Amino acid sequence: MMARKLSCIVFLIVLLLVQGTVFGQTKIKATYGAPSLSVIMIQFGAQAGTFARHGLSMEAVYIAGRSINALLAGDVQFGFIGGPQVIQARMSGADVLVIGGLNRLGQMIVTHPSIKSPSDLIGKKVGIGVFGTVADYGMRLGLKQFNLRPNKDVTFIQVGDVPARLGAVTSGAVHAVILNSHDKHYLERFGLKLLTETEDVDFLGSALVTTDSYVRSNRDVVMRFARGAAETIRFIKTEPRRSSEILQKIYRETDPAITARRYQLLTGVYADYPYVLPSPIQAVLDVLREDGKIKDAPPAQTFMDMSFLQTVEKERQVSGQK
């Protein structure tokens, strides 16, 4: 009798594991494409346990440049991915849905000390991450302010992630690179110059995404993910000490001054409820049309579903939370 009971218990545990749920925790994976403050919510929430509070055992997965592929393949269920890649993917027929994000481009162009003015970049190389990403469009829109044409006045080079870009510009392999606007501490550390910022440009910089098919079959999980995202933002804004400790761990930073500066910047990155507006999506569509990559596009609203965040906000209002 005891052996039979034990077998039943083992069977139930195995069944729960197969379904990805153990003791009420649903296992999910979420990808991020850069170690920057604008997409740190995934890593941060996993370490802070804010998604776990809503029944999600979340694994944060760093996939540089291939996040969309991983999402569509079902290897991950959510992602914080560059807006242009998301919009281009959906325009190509991919099953991608925006459920939150950032409505600003939030990029800056920094240069080698030898560059004294924008015109000095004519005939030079500039470094981005990967073509078609936020870094690519940040560089394009930033140079456009000075009437500098991509791959005509300046040559775009795919360099890679932030450390690779910093290495390229400090060594002189390229004369300018694109970085996140929140990474200004690199200017002083590496002796770089700020050429321009696109912080206030209305553009879908980063998008919190899943797929339509996942929403249809796992609506409750998506709802809990939205609650976890809002909980992560609340944690960042109300738990400075613990948030700083997590930042130190993520960035492997030992300098408290840099961590303090990074935390201060982080508190201003996310709105309490990171709604995406139609106009930033339309801005991406307009740039793609100018580049000849698309002709016609459906309304911007069809790319997104803000109902999950709206539900979270209403729940918090009813409970008296911010």
Side-chain angles (χ1 to χ4, degrees), residues 200-217:
D200 296 327
V201 174
D202 199 30
F203 196 88
L204 182 62
S206 298
L208 200 57
V209 300
T210 185
T211 62
D212 285 300
S213 56
Y214 192 80
V215 168
R216 286 193 296 271
S217 57

Side-chain angles (χ1 to χ4, degrees), residues 249-290:
K249 185 176 180 181
I250 289 175
Y251 287 100
R252 300 178 183 177
E253 182 60 68
T254 58
D255 187 335
I258 292 177
T259 297
R261 188 186 312 171
R262 191 173 267 142
Y263 171 72
Q264 195 59 42
L265 289 168
L266 181 58
T267 59
V269 171
Y270 305 110
D272 291 345
Y273 305 97
Y275 293 117
V276 167
L277 304 175
S279 56
I281 292 179
Q282 187 60 52
V284 176
L285 293 170
D286 292 343
V287 171
L288 293 176
R289 188 179 290 108
E290 289 174 7

Side-chain angles (χ1 to χ4, degrees), residues 117-249:
S117 68
S119 61
D120 290 342
L121 285 174
I122 295 176
K124 301 292 195 307
K125 298 176 181 178
V126 299
I128 62 168
V130 178
F131 292 131
T133 62
V134 174
D136 182 10
Y137 286 98
M139 182 67 82
R140 288 170 180 267
L141 295 175
L143 293 177
K144 188 176 182 180
Q145 299 174 9
F146 307 107
N147 296 316
L148 294 175
R149 299 165 297 175
N151 297 314
K152 291 184 179 180
D153 297 318
V154 296
T155 301
F156 277 40
I157 302 294
Q158 293 185 118
V159 175
D161 60 13
V162 171
R165 285 177 235 169
L166 291 170
V169 71
T170 53
S171 68
V174 299
H175 285 81
V177 293
I178 191 79
L179 298 176
N180 191 283
S181 292
H182 304 297
D183 291 333
K184 290 188 176 65
H185 58 281
Y186 289 133
L187 295 173
E188 183 178 346
R189 181 185 295 187
F190 293 98
L192 303 173
K193 295 175 61 179
L194 175 63
L195 182 69
T196 188
E197 287 191 79
T198 57
E199 174 62 29
D200 296 327
V201 174
D202 199 30
F203 196 88
L204 182 62
S206 298
L208 200 57
V209 300
T210 185
T211 62
D212 285 300
S213 56
Y214 192 80
V215 168
R216 286 193 296 271
S217 57
N218 299 275
R219 193 169 186 86
D220 175 65
V221 177
V222 180
M223 190 66 249
R224 284 187 279 154
F225 184 84
R227 293 188 185 109
E231 181 76 13
T232 302
I233 295 170
R234 187 206 64 80
F235 185 101
I236 288 170
K237 295 183 177 183
T238 60
E239 300 282 352
R241 183 184 62 80
R242 294 170 65 193
S243 294
S244 296
E245 290 172 354
I246 293 172
L247 286 175
Q248 285 179 321
K249 185 176 180 181

Side-chain angles (χ1 to χ4, degrees), residues 10-23:
V10 171
F11 174 78
L12 288 173
I13 291 175
V14 171
L15 180 62
L16 289 173
L17 285 170
V18 170
Q19 293 179 335
T21 306
V22 180
F23 302 120

